[in-house]
Amino acid sequence: MTAPTPFGKPMRELFPFAPTYRNINHGSYGTYPTAVRDARFQLLNDHEARAEIYKRLSIPPLLTKAREALLPLLGPDVSLDEVVIVPNATTGVNTVLQNVSAKWSAPAPDAGDAVLYFTPIYGACGKTLQYLGQVGRLHPVEVHVTFPQDDDDAVVQKLRDAYAAATARGLKVRMALFDTIVSAPGVLLPWERLTEACRELGILSLVDGAHGIGHIDLTHLGKVSPDFFVSNVHKWLFTPRGCAVFYVPLRNQHYIDTSLPTSWGYELPADRNKMAPKPSVVAPPSTYFVDLFGDVGTMDYSQWLCIPTAVKFRKEVCGGEEAIRTYCIDLVRKGSERVAAILGTEVMDNPRSNMRQCAMANVRLPFSVLPAAEIAADDATTVSVEKFEPMLGWLTKYSYDKFDTYFRITYYEGHPWVRVSAQVYLDEEDFEWAGQTLKALVDVVMTGAWKAEV
């Protein structure tokens, strides 16, 4: 846990972890180094020292600096006027869907405006589409993909096929929503090719890049030019939680009438069209889009204002984005294969796909999950589908009590999988530990001890 890494120092010591805690699931909530934590404390102290003055005079220029710090990670073709900060990727996705669907016509049962989405959509985004479908704002249309069977070519083709099928049904496909990296299972999608396919089909592309910035190279974002893109900064870029970058190219900013919630930046369209960029004594001239998100009520902006400190830490301490990516992708490849070897299973992979070119991997667990009716009475090696979630609840508490850790386990396409993440504070020994710990947990699950407690 304290072995030196290629970064030249024991990186774990630079993060505020509990002494015995092992974070093998960085992908869910991320974490940030002590240096960023200390910077945030100072920002909070500065705010409370002169709360109203700080809110009115200090935050606007600091927020501009935070946005500026993100630009090098997004590439030279993204401008400051195209980038704002929101609390999380779900907020960005909701902002787009709520604004854009408000301009569409109310759908009829077999006609109207539709949005394509892939099967393993992030749950909160899937529920957003459900809600907008239920209130008659759009038709959600599922594009069924399955991993590892579907390679990159298949994923792109299935989007095209779904568009054709929906159009043949009489729907008007307006948009496709897809990830950079799927949350569960943790696989990289060919999001650049999907964006290009949307452009060719004449539909809008909304990219949920929750696992994007600080994880994969985005310096070509402006060239790829999705219509809307949002990425959590707090997952992989070492900022406190509640921080995401929301990119809308200038050509599409007319779609975004309001932030969520609507706040001080909103203007009626008639007034908005008359607006010139606003000069300010505390911030550079801004556009309507930037103004919308500059002051969204009384909230804690400190995690946003930490972005420059996080970017500086990654550059000066970790050697920069490419060094971090190279280390993490190599580590998760070696580490996940070691975990699979210990468990006697395999890592989810498809040699015709780039799905593993990220810092997360999925390892199959060595037990079966079946409907209860299909499990023999004397079968102790199988968990019923009906009891899988309760078993996971028990396992979560047991993992914490016994090993001071958490494993991200899901039931996907007939098998239980554990998603593991690599980060600069981990090394190969951590994955050796993870494999041995998972083996011990599986052995306990197979005893059936959890059944008496759920």
Side-chain angles (χ1 to χ4, degrees), residues 205-220:
S205 53
L206 169 53
V207 182
D208 177 4
H211 293 276
I213 195 165
H215 188 169
I216 56 175
D217 184 13
L218 293 176
T219 56
H220 59 324

Side-chain angles (χ1 to χ4, degrees), residues 122-157:
Y122 182 65
C125 296
K127 289 184 179 294
T128 302
L129 289 176
Q130 287 178 6
Y131 166 73
L132 292 173
Q134 174 236 317
V135 299
R137 296 274 287 274
L138 55 83
H139 284 288
V141 177
E142 180 181 355
V143 182
H144 183 74
V145 295
T146 181
F147 303 109
Q149 290 83 355
D150 286 330
D151 61 16
D152 293 350
D153 290 343
V155 169
V156 176
Q157 187 59 48

Side-chain angles (χ1 to χ4, degrees), residues 304-376:
W304 300 7
L305 307 184
C306 286
I307 291 172
T309 303
V311 172
K312 180 180 179 182
F313 177 92
R314 293 169 67 84
K315 182 177 181 180
E316 296 183 358
V317 178
C318 303
E321 298 304 310
E322 185 176 354
I324 294 171
R325 280 195 301 273
T326 299
Y327 177 78
C328 291
I329 292 174
D330 180 66
L331 176 61
V332 82
R333 180 172 291 274
K334 293 176 180 176
S336 60
E337 289 170 358
R338 179 57 188 150
V339 171
I342 293 170
L343 297 177
T345 61
E346 75 275 349
V347 180
M348 183 181 289
D349 196 8
N350 185 323
R352 301 182 305 278
S353 168
N354 291 316
M355 64 173 58
R356 289 186 66 186
Q357 293 302 310
C358 63
M360 297 193 294
N362 312 278
V363 180
R364 186 173 61 80
L365 296 178
F367 60 87
S368 300
V369 180
L370 293 171
E374 299 178 20
I375 302 174

Side-chain angles (χ1 to χ4, degrees), residues 196-211:
E196 180 59 30
C198 288
R199 187 175 296 112
E200 292 172 3
L201 294 170
I203 64 176
L204 296 169
S205 53
L206 169 53
V207 182
D208 177 4
H211 293 276

